[in-house]
Amino acid sequence: MPSRRKDTTSPKAIQRRIKEGRGAGGGIDYLPWFFVTDVPSWGTSCVMTGWNGQEHHWLSFGERKTCLCYAWRPDRVVQILGQYPILPREETVRIAQMMRTKHPPGVITVDFMLKIRRPNGETYYVARDVKEMKELAKRSVLEKLSIALVAMELRRIEWGLVVSDSKDFPEAEWENVDWAFKAHEVKVALALQPDRVWEIAKKLTADIAAAKPPVILRNICSSSDREFELGPGTSMKIARFLVANKAWSFDMSRLICTSKPMEINIEKFEATMELLWGRLRSA
């Protein structure tokens, strides 16, 4: 059963959220307009902490997939603001009236407001909504998306729609990112001291460097578990941690299979681990 719906649409509830700072701030201080506890869910919503320590509230599986792929590109996507409200509400009400369409109860949000960095260092914002194909058959959904589109155009912000279950969605990329992301915080993934993690990580990297590419990651990790007398899968979690934090890299467009040969780039290991070391020691 879905969770019980809270009052999020009355004028009193809207003012309370504005006073709470919903939709304001940036980075780890940003508060989304909706928390997962604010809306009914059939088990597809979740809360997770991103690479930069920011808490993300994902209201659907599609949002989670999309957010992970955006967060994987910190060189371009420098800020992710989820469930971003279009305020003041009077603005979207006027747009609905102009379009002769029905305005939904409460405040209209876009699923993601993204701050993007250009190669020259300049930044700009784009808005993205995430929907499954079946949702686009609903008139209420299309009306809400149309209002959001016009509101963003008036603000000169590019708006786009991500169809999360379309064939164009980068399934392999998001599954690879998801595989790595679950181990991006080593203190959560493993009950090992930082010095031990560092020792094992260096050995794994040395074994990859010594092997003739392509390598079979599962074999290298299994050998490491035996050598260090670790529980099965421990070295693989460290490998995932190294991928998640980009100390290792590989072709993200191809679905990773640890039991098959693959090319792993370890050139950034030393430089990246130096940056991670402080975080590891404070974990």
Side-chain angles (χ1 to χ4, degrees):
M1 293 292 291
S3 59
R4 189 175 181 181
R5 182 185 293 272
K6 293 184 178 180
D7 175 20
T8 61
T9 61
S10 69
K12 183 177 180 180
I14 292 172
Q15 288 303 314
R16 182 174 65 249
R17 286 169 181 275
I18 293 174
K19 289 181 180 179
E20 290 174 356
R22 300 287 189 102
I28 61 174
D29 297 322
Y30 174 74
L31 293 178
W33 188 256
F34 293 119
F35 293 164
V36 296
T37 54
D38 293 333
V39 295
S41 169
W42 293 95
T44 58
S45 61
C46 65
V47 182
M48 290 186 74
T49 302
W51 275 278
N52 65 349
Q54 180 181 350
E55 188 175 83
H56 295 284
H57 288 247
W58 295 320
L59 305 186
S60 70
F61 186 60
E63 287 183 25
R64 180 175 182 272
K65 291 165 66 175
T66 305
C67 184
L68 279 178
C69 288
Y70 284 142
W72 184 251
R73 305 179 178 92
D75 54 325
R76 289 198 65 242
V77 182
V78 297
Q79 187 166 253
I80 301 174
L81 307 179
Q83 298 303 319
Y84 186 83
I86 305 176
L87 294 170
R89 183 176 186 272
E90 290 74 18
E91 176 187 350
T92 53
V93 170
R94 287 195 297 270
I95 292 172
Q97 292 171 344
M98 177 188 69
M99 298 173 64
R100 297 183 180 180
T101 190
K102 185 177 180 180
H103 192 287
V107 171
I108 291 179
T109 62
V110 291
D111 291 329
F112 297 108
M113 183 68 75
L114 306 172
K115 187 177 183 180
I116 310 295
R117 180 187 290 118
R118 291 190 173 98
N120 63 4
E122 295 179 353
T123 60
Y124 63 101
Y125 286 92
V126 300
R128 294 291 184 266
D129 274 307
V130 182
K131 294 289 180 283
E132 292 184 2
M133 186 67 73
K134 64 182 180 181
E135 294 182 276
L136 300 179
K138 301 176 183 178
R139 181 174 179 176
S140 60
V141 171
L142 294 177
E143 289 176 338
K144 179 181 176 181
L145 293 176
S146 297
I147 295 170
L149 167 61
V150 174
M152 292 299 104
E153 286 182 340
L154 291 174
R155 299 181 181 198
R156 296 185 178 181
I157 294 175
E158 175 195 310
W159 176 92
L161 176 65
V162 176
V163 181
S164 60
D165 54 349
S166 69
K167 293 182 179 179
D168 294 333
F169 197 88
E171 285 291 329
E173 178 182 359
W174 105 257
E175 288 191 29
N176 290 337
V177 173
D178 187 52
W179 173 83
F181 178 79
K182 292 173 182 175
H184 81 284
E185 286 290 349
V186 74
K187 66 179 180 181
V188 176
L190 293 167
L192 292 175
Q193 293 298 316
D195 290 343
R196 189 68 162 163
V197 173
W198 174 241
E199 181 183 8
I200 298 166
K202 287 196 297 183
K203 180 62 168 59
L204 289 171
T205 304
D207 287 347
I208 290 176
K212 183 179 180 180
V215 300
I216 298 179
L217 183 58
R218 186 170 68 178
N219 292 349
I220 289 176
C221 290
S222 295
S223 176
S224 172
D225 285 343
R226 291 191 296 269
E227 181 175 342
F228 288 98
E229 298 181 346
L230 303 169
T234 301
S235 295
M236 184 62 75
K237 286 185 179 179
I238 294 176
R240 289 165 58 187
F241 165 76
L242 296 174
V243 174
N245 290 280
K246 301 191 177 182
W248 293 357
S249 61
F250 56 87
D251 184 358
M252 296 295 289
S253 66
R254 300 179 62 183
L255 185 62
I256 186 173
C257 182
T258 60
S259 61
K260 294 183 179 180
M262 60 185 300
E263 300 277 353
I264 302 177
N265 188 321
I266 58 173
E267 292 180 358
K268 296 182 179 180
F269 174 76
E270 293 289 346
T272 304
M273 286 303 290
E274 284 184 12
L275 295 175
L276 289 173
W277 186 240
R279 198 175 85 190
L280 277 172
R281 295 299 297 269
S282 62

